[in-house]
Amino acid sequence: QVQLVESGGGLVQAGGSLRLSCAASGRTISTYHMGWFRQVPGKEREFVARISSSGSTTDYSESVKGRFTISRDNAKNTVYLQTNSLKPEDTAVYYCAASSTWSVNLFRYAYWGQGTQVTVSS
Protein backbone atom coordinates (compact mmCIF):
# COMPACT_ATOMS: atom_id res chain seq x y z
CA GLN A 1 0.00 0.00 0.00
CA VAL A 2 1.06 3.59 -0.60
CA GLN A 3 0.69 6.31 1.98
CA LEU A 4 0.68 9.89 0.77
CA VAL A 5 1.11 12.97 2.94
CA GLU A 6 0.70 16.48 1.57
CA SER A 7 2.33 19.54 3.06
CA GLY A 8 3.14 23.11 2.16
CA GLY A 9 -0.30 24.61 2.25
CA GLY A 10 -1.06 27.82 4.03
CA LEU A 11 -2.33 31.35 3.75
CA VAL A 12 -1.01 33.49 0.93
CA GLN A 13 -1.99 36.75 -0.69
CA ALA A 14 -3.33 36.85 -4.21
CA GLY A 15 -0.46 36.78 -6.64
CA GLY A 16 1.71 34.80 -4.28
CA SER A 17 3.08 31.30 -4.51
CA LEU A 18 3.17 28.08 -2.56
CA ARG A 19 5.02 24.86 -3.15
CA LEU A 20 3.02 21.84 -2.15
CA SER A 21 4.73 18.55 -1.45
CA CYS A 22 3.42 15.01 -1.43
CA ALA A 23 5.64 12.55 0.37
CA ALA A 24 5.00 8.88 -0.29
CA SER A 25 5.84 5.90 1.85
CA GLY A 26 5.10 2.20 1.92
CA ARG A 27 6.46 1.60 -1.54
CA THR A 28 8.03 3.50 -4.36
CA ILE A 29 5.79 5.71 -6.47
CA SER A 30 8.07 5.44 -9.45
CA THR A 31 5.60 3.14 -11.22
CA TYR A 32 2.59 5.36 -10.54
CA HIS A 33 1.20 8.30 -12.39
CA MET A 34 0.60 11.05 -9.88
CA GLY A 35 -2.07 13.70 -9.76
CA TRP A 36 -3.12 16.73 -7.80
CA PHE A 37 -6.78 17.48 -7.16
CA ARG A 38 -8.56 20.13 -5.16
CA GLN A 39 -11.89 20.53 -3.48
CA VAL A 40 -13.90 23.35 -1.94
CA PRO A 41 -17.10 23.01 0.07
CA GLY A 42 -20.12 22.52 -2.14
CA LYS A 43 -18.13 21.47 -5.17
CA GLU A 44 -16.84 18.19 -6.46
CA ARG A 45 -13.20 17.33 -6.23
CA GLU A 46 -11.57 18.50 -9.43
CA PHE A 47 -8.49 17.61 -11.37
CA VAL A 48 -5.63 20.06 -11.21
CA ALA A 49 -2.53 18.41 -12.63
CA ARG A 50 -0.98 15.05 -13.39
CA ILE A 51 2.44 13.70 -14.18
CA SER A 52 3.43 10.41 -15.72
CA SER A 53 5.36 7.82 -13.78
CA SER A 54 8.61 8.74 -15.45
CA GLY A 55 7.95 12.45 -15.21
CA SER A 56 8.17 12.85 -18.96
CA THR A 57 4.57 13.99 -19.44
CA THR A 58 2.48 16.53 -17.57
CA ASP A 59 -1.06 17.77 -17.92
CA TYR A 60 -3.05 20.58 -16.31
CA SER A 61 -6.57 21.80 -16.03
CA GLU A 62 -7.26 24.92 -18.04
CA SER A 63 -7.84 26.94 -14.90
CA VAL A 64 -4.29 26.46 -13.66
CA LYS A 65 -2.34 26.03 -16.87
CA GLY A 66 0.54 28.46 -17.03
CA ARG A 67 0.44 29.10 -13.30
CA PHE A 68 0.98 25.71 -11.69
CA THR A 69 3.76 23.22 -12.29
CA ILE A 70 3.74 19.59 -11.25
CA SER A 71 7.02 17.76 -10.80
CA ARG A 72 8.36 14.67 -9.14
CA ASP A 73 11.52 13.32 -7.65
CA ASN A 74 11.24 9.57 -7.71
CA ALA A 75 14.51 9.20 -5.81
CA LYS A 76 12.89 11.10 -2.94
CA ASN A 77 9.52 9.44 -3.47
CA THR A 78 7.97 12.88 -3.59
CA VAL A 79 5.69 14.85 -5.90
CA TYR A 80 5.39 18.62 -5.95
CA LEU A 81 2.96 21.23 -7.09
CA GLN A 82 4.37 24.69 -7.56
CA THR A 83 1.51 27.16 -7.46
CA ASN A 84 2.22 30.66 -8.78
CA SER A 85 0.08 33.72 -9.36
CA LEU A 86 -2.45 32.38 -6.92
CA LYS A 87 -5.99 33.65 -7.05
CA PRO A 88 -8.72 33.56 -4.40
CA GLU A 89 -10.48 31.01 -6.60
CA ASP A 90 -7.57 28.65 -5.97
CA THR A 91 -8.55 28.38 -2.32
CA ALA A 92 -9.22 24.73 -1.65
CA VAL A 93 -7.96 21.61 0.00
CA TYR A 94 -5.34 20.13 -2.30
CA TYR A 95 -4.90 16.38 -2.52
CA CYS A 96 -2.29 14.27 -4.20
CA ALA A 97 -3.08 10.83 -5.50
CA ALA A 98 -1.53 7.85 -7.26
CA SER A 99 -2.88 5.92 -10.22
CA SER A 100 -1.77 2.95 -12.26
CA THR A 101 -3.42 4.47 -15.33
CA TRP A 102 -3.04 7.78 -17.13
CA SER A 103 -6.25 9.58 -16.25
CA VAL A 104 -7.83 12.81 -15.02
CA ASN A 105 -10.68 10.88 -13.43
CA LEU A 106 -10.33 10.79 -9.67
CA PHE A 107 -11.87 7.33 -9.58
CA ARG A 108 -8.81 5.96 -11.31
CA TYR A 109 -6.60 7.04 -8.43
CA ALA A 110 -6.26 4.33 -5.82
CA TYR A 111 -4.25 6.18 -3.19
CA TRP A 112 -4.91 9.59 -1.70
CA GLY A 113 -3.32 11.88 0.82
CA GLN A 114 -5.14 13.66 3.61
CA GLY A 115 -5.02 17.02 1.87
CA THR A 116 -3.43 20.35 2.62
CA GLN A 117 -5.33 23.61 2.86
CA VAL A 118 -4.45 26.45 0.52
CA THR A 119 -6.08 29.77 1.27
CA VAL A 120 -5.58 32.76 -1.01
CA SER A 121 -6.66 36.13 0.30
CA SER A 122 -7.84 38.91 -1.97
Side-chain angles (χ1 to χ4, degrees), residues 5-78:
V5 179
E6 302 95 334
S7 62
L11 176 64
V12 64
Q13 292 183 337
S17 300
L18 287 172
R19 192 189 195 203
L20 310 183
S21 298
C22 175
S25 61
R27 58 172 126 168
T28 180
I29 59 169
S30 62
T31 62
Y32 290 96
H33 309 297
M34 300 297 294
W36 284 94
F37 298 78
R38 66 187 182 186
Q39 188 170 27
V40 299
K43 295 184 178 181
E44 68 179 1
R45 191 169 299 185
E46 68 174 0
F47 165 77
V48 174
R50 57 178 173 164
I51 186 168
S52 61
S53 57
S54 68
S56 62
T57 304
T58 59
D59 188 34
Y60 302 90
S61 68
E62 288 298 320
S63 63
V64 308
K65 190 171 296 183
R67 300 187 297 121
F68 291 8
T69 303
I70 188 171
S71 62
R72 67 192 299 160
D73 187 339
N74 284 341
K76 295 181 178 179
N77 225 28
T78 302

